[in-house]
Amino acid sequence: MIYTDQLDRKIELSVVPKSIVSLVPSQTELLVALGLEDAIVGVTKFCVHPKRLRKEKTIVGGTKKINFDKIRKLNPDIILCNKEENTKEIVENLQKEYTVHVSDIFSIEEALCMIRQYGDIFKKEDSAHKLIAEIESKQRSFKKYIANTPKRRVAYFIWKDPWIAVGKSTFIDHLLELNNFENVFRAKSRYPEVSEEEISLLQENDLILLSSEPYPFSEKHLSEIRKINDHTKIILVDGEYFSWYGSRLADAFTYFRTFHE
């Protein structure tokens, strides 16, 4: 069979893949949700859901740096990557020896397309269909829930030293927009570096969102940003619900409601 991934790359598979290496945490979680846990042979150190996987599967590195020797020993039927999570070099080197599927996701529609592709490739069509239907149903319900809520400006930060926010053409920005939030830094680059002066100029009615990933913002960081801006409300957010585009979307909309109650 010939499949096309989300970079329009042709993938040829003679049989259904029985061994999988996943180099993307959210996609690893998705595989488990589709009933493919037994087929997973390798994961990254960031594949934290479900927690047991890193003890039961071979850790082949991170998302930007991998151990090719470990992957060769596993000899997987397919390797799952993502354009943003993994480097072009990793994909190019892996595809010399293995079948590699690359996702490229900036919207929920594209996330659902990936789920559908996995269902097709791994012959888990029923599980994929049920998951897609659940996500679509919860998304419709959420849209009705926030239909009459006013727009609110937000600044979503993913790093400090330097301060880095989320800008345009990102999956996080897409979900912020879905929440009826106006991204303050949308006009900038995808992940712009933001000065302390820009943070200080955020308005009283704006929101500063500090993500739990990739930088692990926590309570101790609130005082740091309040030294820069003491008038804008700051909220610690679960970054997985804003950036993981697999099965976690099924629970994301329940989480998003907490910002509008």
Side-chain angles (χ1 to χ4, degrees):
M1 289 287 293
I2 303 294
Y3 300 93
T4 304
D5 70 10
Q6 290 183 295
L7 293 185
D8 290 325
R9 297 163 60 258
K10 300 299 181 183
I11 296 173
E12 185 173 359
L13 290 167
S14 57
V15 296
V16 179
K18 299 297 183 183
S19 58
I20 308 166
V21 166
S22 174
L23 301 182
V24 189
S26 60
Q27 294 171 194
T28 300
E29 184 180 47
L30 170 61
L31 293 174
V32 175
L34 294 178
L36 291 161
E37 183 172 345
D38 289 344
I40 300 171
V41 295
V43 297
T44 75
K45 62 183 179 181
F46 301 116
C47 293
V48 295
H49 298 299
K51 294 181 179 179
R52 62 181 179 273
L53 277 189
R54 290 185 299 171
K55 295 180 179 179
E56 300 173 356
K57 312 295 181 180
T58 300
I59 297 176
V60 298
T63 55
K64 307 297 184 187
K65 186 176 181 180
I66 61 173
N67 187 316
F68 287 92
D69 288 336
K70 286 187 176 182
I71 291 177
R72 289 189 182 97
K73 288 179 181 179
L74 294 172
N75 193 29
D77 294 330
I78 193 169
I79 300 175
L80 305 180
C81 296
N82 173 265
K83 182 180 178 181
E84 181 167 292
E85 289 275 359
N86 311 123
T87 67
K88 183 179 180 180
E89 180 183 13
I90 284 176
V91 172
E92 289 179 343
N93 286 330
L94 287 174
Q95 69 185 8
K96 293 175 183 177
E97 301 180 45
Y98 307 100
T99 298
V100 179
H101 179 285
V102 184
S103 63
D104 188 23
I105 299 170
F106 297 99
S107 68
I108 289 178
E109 182 180 354
E110 289 167 339
L112 298 182
C113 177
M114 178 193 66
I115 295 172
R116 194 173 293 110
Q117 286 184 0
Y118 280 14
D120 192 17
I121 290 171
F122 300 111
K123 302 307 175 190
K124 291 289 184 178
E125 293 93 340
D126 288 346
S127 297
H129 176 76
K130 289 178 182 178
L131 178 58
I132 290 170
E134 180 183 4
I135 293 171
E136 289 179 331
S137 175
K138 290 183 176 180
Q139 182 181 6
R140 287 193 297 269
S141 177
F142 180 70
K143 283 184 175 180
K144 291 180 181 178
Y145 175 76
I146 64 166
N148 297 317
T149 60
K151 274 192 174 295
R152 191 167 187 180
R153 287 171 22 113
V154 302
Y156 188 108
F157 288 94
I158 61 170
W159 204 261
K160 66 181 289 292
D161 300 326
W163 292 99
I164 296 178
V166 165
K168 61 186 176 182
S169 302
T170 60
F171 186 65
I172 295 174
D173 180 63
H174 171 71
L175 292 186
L176 291 175
E177 184 176 17
L178 190 148
N179 271 275
N180 215 16
F181 291 146
E182 179 185 348
N183 185 352
V184 174
F185 300 114
R186 180 174 289 163
K188 289 178 169 283
S189 61
R190 297 183 68 232
Y191 297 106
E193 184 174 329
V194 178
S195 68
E196 291 190 359
E197 180 182 4
E198 288 175 295
I199 296 174
S200 70
L201 292 175
L202 292 171
Q203 302 168 16
E204 185 174 354
N205 292 327
D206 294 343
L207 282 178
I208 294 175
L209 305 181
L210 301 182
S211 178
S212 61
E213 65 167 42
Y215 189 91
F217 283 109
S218 60
E219 291 287 341
K220 67 181 181 181
H221 298 108
L222 299 182
S223 59
E224 291 184 38
I225 202 164
R226 286 194 179 110
K227 291 178 181 178
I228 305 170
N229 181 317
D230 63 359
H231 55 269
T232 302
K233 185 176 180 180
I234 308 167
I235 301 177
L236 295 171
V237 302
D238 188 329
E240 292 173 358
Y241 286 119
F242 279 97
S243 61
W244 285 38
Y245 34 74
S247 51
R248 189 151 294 254
L249 284 171
D251 297 320
F253 299 104
T254 299
Y255 176 71
F256 293 156
R257 285 174 183 255
T258 63
F259 295 96
H260 307 280
E261 293 174 348

